[in-house]
Amino acid sequence: MALDEKIYELRRDKLKQIEALGQKSYPRQYKFTHTIPQILTEDSDKTAEQLENPRVNVRVAGRIMAIRLMGKAGFAHLQQGGQKLQIYVKKDAVGDKGFELYKLLDLGDHIGVSGYLFRTRTGELTVHVEEITFLAKDLLPLPEKWHGLTDVELRYRQRYVDLIMNPEVREVFLKRSKLVQSLRRYLDEHGFIEVETPMMQPIAGGAVAKPFKTHHNTLDMDLFLRVAPELYLKRLTVGGLDRVYEINRNFRNEGLGWRWNPEFTMLEFYQAYADFREVMDLTQNMIVQAAKDVTGGSKTKWGAHEIDWAVSKWRRMTMREAIVQFWPEKAGAKPQMSDFALHDSVKALVERFNAVHPHMAYDPSEPTGKTVAALFEAVAEEHLVQPTIIYEFPAAVSPLSKNKPDEPDWVERFEIFACQMEIANGFSELNDPEEQRRRFEQQLKQRERGDEEAHQMDEDYIRALSYGMPPAGGVGVGIDRLTMLLTDSHTIRDVILFPLLRPEKNSTTEDTEEEA
RNA sequence: GGGCGCGUAGCUCAGCUGGUAGAGCAAUGCCCUUUUAAGGCAUGGGUCGCAGGUUCGAAUCCUGCCGCGCUCACCA
């Protein structure tokens, strides 16, 4: 028998002994007067004398995270809400049965105690226990108290244990929740309504990405998990929902990395009668407000960098300006604006860049605009640590945005970068159905070239646009990445509670697969 | 998918040029009525990721596989 199985059996045995003492093994509820965080905020400043007169009586519940028995008395630390409070259990105070119960308790058990607060000889705020109530048993041993749980794989697989042992993990997810709250509040206050659109779609549109495929049995229909809600949200602006947003999951069947998880959460919103500049400003203000709501200030730490979210500190430049500004000296003279217009001059830029840098992928048969966008990522992205707005994107990588009136190969689109990550993407929405059809047709040509990520034709979307979509600006914001920025997390897996992992060996899922 | 690294007790980790497995915490028993990484004495606990190979002998060397991490490529 494995050690943890032995401990499991031993603890089941103790549970029976606890029942024999008259305690319920799995009671239904516990009426508490205080939470542990509450006691710590209310009573941490009180002196020993102040706690004696008048006495502060408390009933609190928590999980045992440390326990020390010393003959006929003992201490334990209870944890609740990520915080710990010490309890003192004396045989004289809890009686024979109460002390028998105390001796049967293990690390990880849930108990409730009633008693009064006092300070120990060393000054620690402690509950002098008069009654212990057993609440639930931990049958499996918790990780070691000093080092805790550090194995990265175990932390992701058994996030419940990670959350018990590592308070900073709890903080990250509390901040993530605050972030989403803040974004919702901001949009609600600006007259947006929240909607939910299909995650299972017959055509996976709205972004350039490989979708996951699934199947509905009764309808005998192949479906895709959505890569973006975009086309559905814009159908809603056609329907008269002038300001809509959705916060939900997108699924992209692509590589994993520190910035990429196959399912990720995105905020998308659309505002009728606004262009890309107006939603750009709105997004910037919304993010600045969110940083304030989550962290309490306008500056946050990310690794060695201090990120200043104050609106006045944001930089704005066009994609072409960014390539010029961050062009590496080793690659020779900085590009001229006119170099971005022609296939051959762009090719020359790539060759100059690749000669002195790790090679960026380059396919001479791809549209010139696509190469420019790739060149931007290779040249500039790593320099974009402070919040920066990059605007004016090539039309070739923007099949859903409006053209710049004076430069039709470029579109009214922007992205927000910080800490070398793209965190938002927005544009003046293309609402001309005939131009949209031409864009889809261009994408189809890229598909024929073998680009699996290129957009498919969506006839119903074009039909919707044909009923007249108001001019609108729309934006997508990566919630996971924004959480990373605001919590100093350096991998997306640290801001996703249950990141995708391969199935565990000998797991039940594997067994059932074999049976099926 | 490519490259690099890791996998030893429930947890955190040692284990040398190959000689048959260790510590701390956790666990079990005993002592201890203000301790706090409590302490003291004693005890139990291992398919050294899996499968082959080399060898008299493998946790250790070799090969393959599985899992994880980092990184590169593709993508947000």
mmCIF file with all atom_site columns, all heavy atoms in Angstrom, chain B residues 25-33:
data_model
loop_
_atom_site.group_PDB
_atom_site.id
_atom_site.type_symbol
_atom_site.label_atom_id
_atom_site.label_alt_id
_atom_site.label_comp_id
_atom_site.label_asym_id
_atom_site.label_entity_id
_atom_site.label_seq_id
_atom_site.pdbx_PDB_ins_code
_atom_site.Cartn_x
_atom_site.Cartn_y
_atom_site.Cartn_z
_atom_site.occupancy
_atom_site.B_iso_or_equiv
_atom_site.pdbx_formal_charge
_atom_site.auth_seq_id
_atom_site.auth_comp_id
_atom_site.auth_asym_id
_atom_site.auth_atom_id
_atom_site.pdbx_PDB_model_num
ATOM 1   P P     . C B 1 25 ? 12.056 17.347 11.314 1.00 0.00 ? 25 C B P     1
ATOM 2   O OP1   . C B 1 25 ? 11.978 18.129 12.551 1.00 0.00 ? 25 C B OP1   1
ATOM 3   O OP2   . C B 1 25 ? 12.174 15.871 11.363 1.00 0.00 ? 25 C B OP2   1
ATOM 4   O "O5'" . C B 1 25 ? 10.779 17.707 10.411 1.00 0.00 ? 25 C B "O5'" 1
ATOM 5   C "C5'" . C B 1 25 ? 10.345 19.050 10.296 1.00 0.00 ? 25 C B "C5'" 1
ATOM 6   C "C4'" . C B 1 25 ? 9.334  19.178 9.182  1.00 0.00 ? 25 C B "C4'" 1
ATOM 7   O "O4'" . C B 1 25 ? 9.900  18.656 7.950  1.00 0.00 ? 25 C B "O4'" 1
ATOM 8   C "C3'" . C B 1 25 ? 8.045  18.371 9.350  1.00 0.00 ? 25 C B "C3'" 1
ATOM 9   O "O3'" . C B 1 25 ? 7.123  19.003 10.225 1.00 0.00 ? 25 C B "O3'" 1
ATOM 10  C "C2'" . C B 1 25 ? 7.553  18.314 7.915  1.00 0.00 ? 25 C B "C2'" 1
ATOM 11  O "O2'" . C B 1 25 ? 6.994  19.547 7.523  1.00 0.00 ? 25 C B "O2'" 1
ATOM 12  C "C1'" . C B 1 25 ? 8.869  18.098 7.159  1.00 0.00 ? 25 C B "C1'" 1
ATOM 13  N N1    . C B 1 25 ? 9.114  16.655 6.954  1.00 0.00 ? 25 C B N1    1
ATOM 14  C C2    . C B 1 25 ? 8.404  16.009 5.934  1.00 0.00 ? 25 C B C2    1
ATOM 15  O O2    . C B 1 25 ? 7.613  16.670 5.244  1.00 0.00 ? 25 C B O2    1
ATOM 16  N N3    . C B 1 25 ? 8.588  14.688 5.733  1.00 0.00 ? 25 C B N3    1
ATOM 17  C C4    . C B 1 25 ? 9.444  14.008 6.502  1.00 0.00 ? 25 C B C4    1
ATOM 18  N N4    . C B 1 25 ? 9.585  12.710 6.259  1.00 0.00 ? 25 C B N4    1
ATOM 19  C C5    . C B 1 25 ? 10.183 14.636 7.542  1.00 0.00 ? 25 C B C5    1
ATOM 20  C C6    . C B 1 25 ? 9.991  15.953 7.738  1.00 0.00 ? 25 C B C6    1
ATOM 21  P P     . A B 1 26 ? 6.201  18.137 11.164 1.00 0.00 ? 26 A B P     1
ATOM 22  O OP1   . A B 1 26 ? 5.263  19.043 11.864 1.00 0.00 ? 26 A B OP1   1
ATOM 23  O OP2   . A B 1 26 ? 7.052  17.213 11.936 1.00 0.00 ? 26 A B OP2   1
ATOM 24  O "O5'" . A B 1 26 ? 5.363  17.259 10.116 1.00 0.00 ? 26 A B "O5'" 1
ATOM 25  C "C5'" . A B 1 26 ? 4.297  17.844 9.377  1.00 0.00 ? 26 A B "C5'" 1
ATOM 26  C "C4'" . A B 1 26 ? 3.689  16.804 8.464  1.00 0.00 ? 26 A B "C4'" 1
ATOM 27  O "O4'" . A B 1 26 ? 4.681  16.323 7.519  1.00 0.00 ? 26 A B "O4'" 1
ATOM 28  C "C3'" . A B 1 26 ? 3.209  15.535 9.150  1.00 0.00 ? 26 A B "C3'" 1
ATOM 29  O "O3'" . A B 1 26 ? 1.950  15.695 9.773  1.00 0.00 ? 26 A B "O3'" 1
ATOM 30  C "C2'" . A B 1 26 ? 3.178  14.559 7.980  1.00 0.00 ? 26 A B "C2'" 1
ATOM 31  O "O2'" . A B 1 26 ? 2.080  14.809 7.139  1.00 0.00 ? 26 A B "O2'" 1
ATOM 32  C "C1'" . A B 1 26 ? 4.472  14.951 7.258  1.00 0.00 ? 26 A B "C1'" 1
ATOM 33  N N9    . A B 1 26 ? 5.594  14.187 7.810  1.00 0.00 ? 26 A B N9    1
ATOM 34  C C8    . A B 1 26 ? 6.563  14.621 8.680  1.00 0.00 ? 26 A B C8    1
ATOM 35  N N7    . A B 1 26 ? 7.427  13.684 9.007  1.00 0.00 ? 26 A B N7    1
ATOM 36  C C5    . A B 1 26 ? 7.002  12.574 8.317  1.00 0.00 ? 26 A B C5    1
ATOM 37  C C6    . A B 1 26 ? 7.492  11.264 8.240  1.00 0.00 ? 26 A B C6    1
ATOM 38  N N6    . A B 1 26 ? 8.565  10.834 8.902  1.00 0.00 ? 26 A B N6    1
ATOM 39  N N1    . A B 1 26 ? 6.821  10.390 7.459  1.00 0.00 ? 26 A B N1    1
ATOM 40  C C2    . A B 1 26 ? 5.730  10.814 6.793  1.00 0.00 ? 26 A B C2    1
ATOM 41  N N3    . A B 1 26 ? 5.177  12.018 6.781  1.00 0.00 ? 26 A B N3    1
ATOM 42  C C4    . A B 1 26 ? 5.872  12.867 7.569  1.00 0.00 ? 26 A B C4    1
ATOM 43  P P     . A B 1 27 ? 1.627  14.976 11.129 1.00 0.00 ? 27 A B P     1
ATOM 44  O OP1   . A B 1 27 ? 0.229  15.316 11.498 1.00 0.00 ? 27 A B OP1   1
ATOM 45  O OP2   . A B 1 27 ? 2.748  15.258 12.068 1.00 0.00 ? 27 A B OP2   1
ATOM 46  O "O5'" . A B 1 27 ? 1.712  13.432 10.733 1.00 0.00 ? 27 A B "O5'" 1
ATOM 47  C "C5'" . A B 1 27 ? 0.784  12.880 9.825  1.00 0.00 ? 27 A B "C5'" 1
ATOM 48  C "C4'" . A B 1 27 ? 1.031  11.410 9.659  1.00 0.00 ? 27 A B "C4'" 1
ATOM 49  O "O4'" . A B 1 27 ? 2.368  11.202 9.116  1.00 0.00 ? 27 A B "O4'" 1
ATOM 50  C "C3'" . A B 1 27 ? 1.041  10.613 10.959 1.00 0.00 ? 27 A B "C3'" 1
ATOM 51  O "O3'" . A B 1 27 ? -0.266 10.288 11.368 1.00 0.00 ? 27 A B "O3'" 1
ATOM 52  C "C2'" . A B 1 27 ? 1.858  9.386  10.572 1.00 0.00 ? 27 A B "C2'" 1
ATOM 53  O "O2'" . A B 1 27 ? 1.076  8.476  9.832  1.00 0.00 ? 27 A B "O2'" 1
ATOM 54  C "C1'" . A B 1 27 ? 2.904  10.003 9.644  1.00 0.00 ? 27 A B "C1'" 1
ATOM 55  N N9    . A B 1 27 ? 4.156  10.323 10.329 1.00 0.00 ? 27 A B N9    1
ATOM 56  C C8    . A B 1 27 ? 4.674  11.564 10.585 1.00 0.00 ? 27 A B C8    1
ATOM 57  N N7    . A B 1 27 ? 5.833  11.551 11.205 1.00 0.00 ? 27 A B N7    1
ATOM 58  C C5    . A B 1 27 ? 6.101  10.199 11.373 1.00 0.00 ? 27 A B C5    1
ATOM 59  C C6    . A B 1 27 ? 7.180  9.514  11.960 1.00 0.00 ? 27 A B C6    1
ATOM 60  N N6    . A B 1 27 ? 8.232  10.141 12.505 1.00 0.00 ? 27 A B N6    1
ATOM 61  N N1    . A B 1 27 ? 7.140  8.166  11.979 1.00 0.00 ? 27 A B N1    1
ATOM 62  C C2    . A B 1 27 ? 6.079  7.547  11.424 1.00 0.00 ? 27 A B C2    1
ATOM 63  N N3    . A B 1 27 ? 4.996  8.083  10.834 1.00 0.00 ? 27 A B N3    1
ATOM 64  C C4    . A B 1 27 ? 5.076  9.427  10.844 1.00 0.00 ? 27 A B C4    1
ATOM 65  P P     . U B 1 28 ? -0.649 10.332 12.904 1.00 0.00 ? 28 U B P     1
ATOM 66  O OP1   . U B 1 28 ? -2.124 10.187 12.974 1.00 0.00 ? 28 U B OP1   1
ATOM 67  O OP2   . U B 1 28 ? 0.010  11.489 13.540 1.00 0.00 ? 28 U B OP2   1
ATOM 68  O "O5'" . U B 1 28 ? 0.028  9.003  13.464 1.00 0.00 ? 28 U B "O5'" 1
ATOM 69  C "C5'" . U B 1 28 ? -0.450 7.731  13.047 1.00 0.00 ? 28 U B "C5'" 1
ATOM 70  C "C4'" . U B 1 28 ? 0.377  6.648  13.682 1.00 0.00 ? 28 U B "C4'" 1
ATOM 71  O "O4'" . U B 1 28 ? 1.717  6.673  13.117 1.00 0.00 ? 28 U B "O4'" 1
ATOM 72  C "C3'" . U B 1 28 ? 0.618  6.796  15.179 1.00 0.00 ? 28 U B "C3'" 1
ATOM 73  O "O3'" . U B 1 28 ? -0.478 6.359  15.957 1.00 0.00 ? 28 U B "O3'" 1
ATOM 74  C "C2'" . U B 1 28 ? 1.869  5.945  15.372 1.00 0.00 ? 28 U B "C2'" 1
ATOM 75  O "O2'" . U B 1 28 ? 1.548  4.565  15.349 1.00 0.00 ? 28 U B "O2'" 1
ATOM 76  C "C1'" . U B 1 28 ? 2.651  6.294  14.111 1.00 0.00 ? 28 U B "C1'" 1
ATOM 77  N N1    . U B 1 28 ? 3.598  7.413  14.323 1.00 0.00 ? 28 U B N1    1
ATOM 78  C C2    . U B 1 28 ? 4.818  7.121  14.907 1.00 0.00 ? 28 U B C2    1
ATOM 79  O O2    . U B 1 28 ? 5.129  5.994  15.258 1.00 0.00 ? 28 U B O2    1
ATOM 80  N N3    . U B 1 28 ? 5.655  8.197  15.073 1.00 0.00 ? 28 U B N3    1
ATOM 81  C C4    . U B 1 28 ? 5.396  9.506  14.725 1.00 0.00 ? 28 U B C4    1
ATOM 82  O O4    . U B 1 28 ? 6.251  10.359 14.939 1.00 0.00 ? 28 U B O4    1
ATOM 83  C C5    . U B 1 28 ? 4.113  9.731  14.136 1.00 0.00 ? 28 U B C5    1
ATOM 84  C C6    . U B 1 28 ? 3.271  8.698  13.960 1.00 0.00 ? 28 U B C6    1
ATOM 85  P P     . G B 1 29 ? -0.862 7.144  17.282 1.00 0.00 ? 29 G B P     1
ATOM 86  O OP1   . G B 1 29 ? -2.191 6.652  17.696 1.00 0.00 ? 29 G B OP1   1
ATOM 87  O OP2   . G B 1 29 ? -0.628 8.585  17.090 1.00 0.00 ? 29 G B OP2   1
ATOM 88  O "O5'" . G B 1 29 ? 0.233  6.615  18.317 1.00 0.00 ? 29 G B "O5'" 1
ATOM 89  C "C5'" . G B 1 29 ? 0.257  5.244  18.692 1.00 0.00 ? 29 G B "C5'" 1
ATOM 90  C "C4'" . G B 1 29 ? 1.429  4.971  19.595 1.00 0.00 ? 29 G B "C4'" 1
ATOM 91  O "O4'" . G B 1 29 ? 2.657  5.113  18.847 1.00 0.00 ? 29 G B "O4'" 1
ATOM 92  C "C3'" . G B 1 29 ? 1.613  5.932  20.761 1.00 0.00 ? 29 G B "C3'" 1
ATOM 93  O "O3'" . G B 1 29 ? 0.749  5.656  21.843 1.00 0.00 ? 29 G B "O3'" 1
ATOM 94  C "C2'" . G B 1 29 ? 3.079  5.710  21.113 1.00 0.00 ? 29 G B "C2'" 1
ATOM 95  O "O2'" . G B 1 29 ? 3.235  4.502  21.829 1.00 0.00 ? 29 G B "O2'" 1
ATOM 96  C "C1'" . G B 1 29 ? 3.697  5.542  19.723 1.00 0.00 ? 29 G B "C1'" 1
ATOM 97  N N9    . G B 1 29 ? 4.240  6.820  19.214 1.00 0.00 ? 29 G B N9    1
ATOM 98  C C8    . G B 1 29 ? 3.660  7.704  18.352 1.00 0.00 ? 29 G B C8    1
ATOM 99  N N7    . G B 1 29 ? 4.419  8.748  18.104 1.00 0.00 ? 29 G B N7    1
ATOM 100 C C5    . G B 1 29 ? 5.561  8.525  18.859 1.00 0.00 ? 29 G B C5    1
ATOM 101 C C6    . G B 1 29 ? 6.738  9.300  19.006 1.00 0.00 ? 29 G B C6    1
ATOM 102 O O6    . G B 1 29 ? 7.021  10.390 18.479 1.00 0.00 ? 29 G B O6    1
ATOM 103 N N1    . G B 1 29 ? 7.659  8.704  19.881 1.00 0.00 ? 29 G B N1    1
ATOM 104 C C2    . G B 1 29 ? 7.449  7.511  20.515 1.00 0.00 ? 29 G B C2    1
ATOM 105 N N2    . G B 1 29 ? 8.432  7.090  21.318 1.00 0.00 ? 29 G B N2    1
ATOM 106 N N3    . G B 1 29 ? 6.365  6.769  20.390 1.00 0.00 ? 29 G B N3    1
ATOM 107 C C4    . G B 1 29 ? 5.466  7.344  19.548 1.00 0.00 ? 29 G B C4    1
ATOM 108 P P     . C B 1 30 ? 0.302  6.853  22.827 1.00 0.00 ? 30 C B P     1
ATOM 109 O OP1   . C B 1 30 ? -0.688 6.279  23.750 1.00 0.00 ? 30 C B OP1   1
ATOM 110 O OP2   . C B 1 30 ? -0.036 8.050  22.013 1.00 0.00 ? 30 C B OP2   1
ATOM 111 O "O5'" . C B 1 30 ? 1.638  7.175  23.634 1.00 0.00 ? 30 C B "O5'" 1
ATOM 112 C "C5'" . C B 1 30 ? 2.109  6.278  24.627 1.00 0.00 ? 30 C B "C5'" 1
ATOM 113 C "C4'" . C B 1 30 ? 3.461  6.717  25.142 1.00 0.00 ? 30 C B "C4'" 1
ATOM 114 O "O4'" . C B 1 30 ? 4.403  6.842  24.040 1.00 0.00 ? 30 C B "O4'" 1
ATOM 115 C "C3'" . C B 1 30 ? 3.512  8.096  25.789 1.00 0.00 ? 30 C B "C3'" 1
ATOM 116 O "O3'" . C B 1 30 ? 3.010  8.106  27.112 1.00 0.00 ? 30 C B "O3'" 1
ATOM 117 C "C2'" . C B 1 30 ? 5.009  8.398  25.725 1.00 0.00 ? 30 C B "C2'" 1
ATOM 118 O "O2'" . C B 1 30 ? 5.708  7.683  26.721 1.00 0.00 ? 30 C B "O2'" 1
ATOM 119 C "C1'" . C B 1 30 ? 5.372  7.829  24.358 1.00 0.00 ? 30 C B "C1'" 1
ATOM 120 N N1    . C B 1 30 ? 5.344  8.890  23.316 1.00 0.00 ? 30 C B N1    1
ATOM 121 C C2    . C B 1 30 ? 6.462  9.712  23.193 1.00 0.00 ? 30 C B C2    1
ATOM 122 O O2    . C B 1 30 ? 7.429  9.530  23.958 1.00 0.00 ? 30 C B O2    1
ATOM 123 N N3    . C B 1 30 ? 6.468  10.697 22.274 1.00 0.00 ? 30 C B N3    1
ATOM 124 C C4    . C B 1 30 ? 5.412  10.863 21.480 1.00 0.00 ? 30 C B C4    1
ATOM 125 N N4    . C B 1 30 ? 5.459  11.840 20.586 1.00 0.00 ? 30 C B N4    1
ATOM 126 C C5    . C B 1 30 ? 4.244  10.041 21.583 1.00 0.00 ? 30 C B C5    1
ATOM 127 C C6    . C B 1 30 ? 4.252  9.069  22.511 1.00 0.00 ? 30 C B C6    1
ATOM 128 P P     . C B 1 31 ? 2.297  9.463  27.661 1.00 0.00 ? 31 C B P     1
ATOM 129 O OP1   . C B 1 31 ? 1.714  9.132  28.975 1.00 0.00 ? 31 C B OP1   1
ATOM 130 O OP2   . C B 1 31 ? 1.453  10.028 26.586 1.00 0.00 ? 31 C B OP2   1
ATOM 131 O "O5'" . C B 1 31 ? 3.528  10.447 27.880 1.00 0.00 ? 31 C B "O5'" 1
ATOM 132 C "C5'" . C B 1 31 ? 4.506  10.160 28.863 1.00 0.00 ? 31 C B "C5'" 1
ATOM 133 C "C4'" . C B 1 31 ? 5.541  11.238 28.927 1.00 0.00 ? 31 C B "C4'" 1
ATOM 134 O "O4'" . C B 1 31 ? 6.306  11.263 27.689 1.00 0.00 ? 31 C B "O4'" 1
ATOM 135 C "C3'" . C B 1 31 ? 5.003  12.664 29.027 1.00 0.00 ? 31 C B "C3'" 1
ATOM 136 O "O3'" . C B 1 31 ? 4.616  12.998 30.351 1.00 0.00 ? 31 C B "O3'" 1
ATOM 137 C "C2'" . C B 1 31 ? 6.198  13.468 28.552 1.00 0.00 ? 31 C B "C2'" 1
ATOM 138 O "O2'" . C B 1 31 ? 7.173  13.603 29.566 1.00 0.00 ? 31 C B "O2'" 1
ATOM 139 C "C1'" . C B 1 31 ? 6.757  12.576 27.442 1.00 0.00 ? 31 C B "C1'" 1
ATOM 140 N N1    . C B 1 31 ? 6.275  12.997 26.105 1.00 0.00 ? 31 C B N1    1
ATOM 141 C C2    . C B 1 31 ? 6.989  14.003 25.438 1.00 0.00 ? 31 C B C2    1
ATOM 142 O O2    . C B 1 31 ? 7.980  14.505 25.998 1.00 0.00 ? 31 C B O2    1
ATOM 143 N N3    . C B 1 31 ? 6.573  14.417 24.220 1.00 0.00 ? 31 C B N3    1
ATOM 144 C C4    . C B 1 31 ? 5.493  13.858 23.667 1.00 0.00 ? 31 C B C4    1
ATOM 145 N N4    . C B 1 31 ? 5.120  14.292 22.469 1.00 0.00 ? 31 C B N4    1
ATOM 146 C C5    . C B 1 31 ? 4.747  12.823 24.324 1.00 0.00 ? 31 C B C5    1
ATOM 147 C C6    . C B 1 31 ? 5.175  12.426 25.535 1.00 0.00 ? 31 C B C6    1
ATOM 148 P P     . C B 1 32 ? 3.265  13.878 30.557 1.00 0.00 ? 32 C B P     1
ATOM 149 O OP1   . C B 1 32 ? 3.022  13.925 32.005 1.00 0.00 ? 32 C B OP1   1
ATOM 150 O OP2   . C B 1 32 ? 2.214  13.394 29.634 1.00 0.00 ? 32 C B OP2   1
ATOM 151 O "O5'" . C B 1 32 ? 3.731  15.323 30.074 1.00 0.00 ? 32 C B "O5'" 1
ATOM 152 C "C5'" . C B 1 32 ? 4.683  16.068 30.825 1.00 0.00 ? 32 C B "C5'" 1
ATOM 153 C "C4'" . C B 1 32 ? 5.142  17.261 30.041 1.00 0.00 ? 32 C B "C4'" 1
ATOM 154 O "O4'" . C B 1 32 ? 5.726  16.811 28.792 1.00 0.00 ? 32 C B "O4'" 1
ATOM 155 C "C3'" . C B 1 32 ? 4.037  18.216 29.590 1.00 0.00 ? 32 C B "C3'" 1
ATOM 156 O "O3'" . C B 1 32 ? 3.658  19.117 30.618 1.00 0.00 ? 32 C B "O3'" 1
ATOM 157 C "C2'" . C B 1 32 ? 4.706  18.921 28.422 1.00 0.00 ? 32 C B "C2'" 1
ATOM 158 O "O2'" . C B 1 32 ? 5.617  19.906 28.869 1.00 0.00 ? 32 C B "O2'" 1
ATOM 159 C "C1'" . C B 1 32 ? 5.495  17.776 27.786 1.00 0.00 ? 32 C B "C1'" 1
ATOM 160 N N1    . C B 1 32 ? 4.743  17.145 26.677 1.00 0.00 ? 32 C B N1    1
ATOM 161 C C2    . C B 1 32 ? 4.950  17.634 25.376 1.00 0.00 ? 32 C B C2    1
ATOM 162 O O2    . C B 1 32 ? 5.759  18.552 25.205 1.00 0.00 ? 32 C B O2    1
ATOM 163 N N3    . C B 1 32 ? 4.255  17.093 24.352 1.00 0.00 ? 32 C B N3    1
ATOM 164 C C4    . C B 1 32 ? 3.389  16.105 24.589 1.00 0.00 ? 32 C B C4    1
ATOM 165 N N4    . C B 1 32 ? 2.720  15.598 23.542 1.00 0.00 ? 32 C B N4    1
ATOM 166 C C5    . C B 1 32 ? 3.164  15.584 25.885 1.00 0.00 ? 32 C B C5    1
ATOM 167 C C6    . C B 1 32 ? 3.858  16.130 26.897 1.00 0.00 ? 32 C B C6    1
ATOM 168 P P     . U B 1 33 ? 2.085  19.361 30.858 1.00 0.00 ? 33 U B P     1
ATOM 169 O OP1   . U B 1 33 ? 1.807  19.227 32.292 1.00 0.00 ? 33 U B OP1   1
ATOM 170 O OP2   . U B 1 33 ? 1.309  18.567 29.857 1.00 0.00 ? 33 U B OP2   1
ATOM 171 O "O5'" . U B 1 33 ? 1.922  20.883 30.460 1.00 0.00 ? 33 U B "O5'" 1
ATOM 172 C "C5'" . U B 1 33 ? 1.966  21.305 29.095 1.00 0.00 ? 33 U B "C5'" 1
ATOM 173 C "C4'" . U B 1 33 ? 1.107  22.536 28.930 1.00 0.00 ? 33 U B "C4'" 1
ATOM 174 O "O4'" . U B 1 33 ? -0.271 22.183 29.224 1.00 0.00 ? 33 U B "O4'" 1
ATOM 175 C "C3'" . U B 1 33 ? 1.472  23.674 29.870 1.00 0.00 ? 33 U B "C3'" 1
ATOM 176 O "O3'" . U B 1 33 ? 1.272  24.886 29.150 1.00 0.00 ? 33 U B "O3'" 1
ATOM 177 C "C2'" . U B 1 33 ? 0.415  23.574 30.975 1.00 0.00 ? 33 U B "C2'" 1
ATOM 178 O "O2'" . U B 1 33 ? 0.128  24.803 31.599 1.00 0.00 ? 33 U B "O2'" 1
ATOM 179 C "C1'" . U B 1 33 ? -0.794 23.105 30.163 1.00 0.00 ? 33 U B "C1'" 1
ATOM 180 N N1    . U B 1 33 ? -1.822 22.416 30.943 1.00 0.00 ? 33 U B N1    1
ATOM 181 C C2    . U B 1 33 ? -3.038 23.060 31.095 1.00 0.00 ? 33 U B C2    1
ATOM 182 O O2    . U B 1 33 ? -3.255 24.158 30.616 1.00 0.00 ? 33 U B O2    1
ATOM 183 N N3    . U B 1 33 ? -3.970 22.379 31.827 1.00 0.00 ? 33 U B N3    1
ATOM 184 C C4    . U B 1 33 ? -3.817 21.142 32.395 1.00 0.00 ? 33 U B C4    1
ATOM 185 O O4    . U B 1 33 ? -4.750 20.650 33.012 1.00 0.00 ? 33 U B O4    1
ATOM 186 C C5    . U B 1 33 ? -2.526 20.537 32.203 1.00 0.00 ? 33 U B C5    1
ATOM 187 C C6    . U B 1 33 ? -1.594 21.186 31.501 1.00 0.00 ? 33 U B C6    1
#
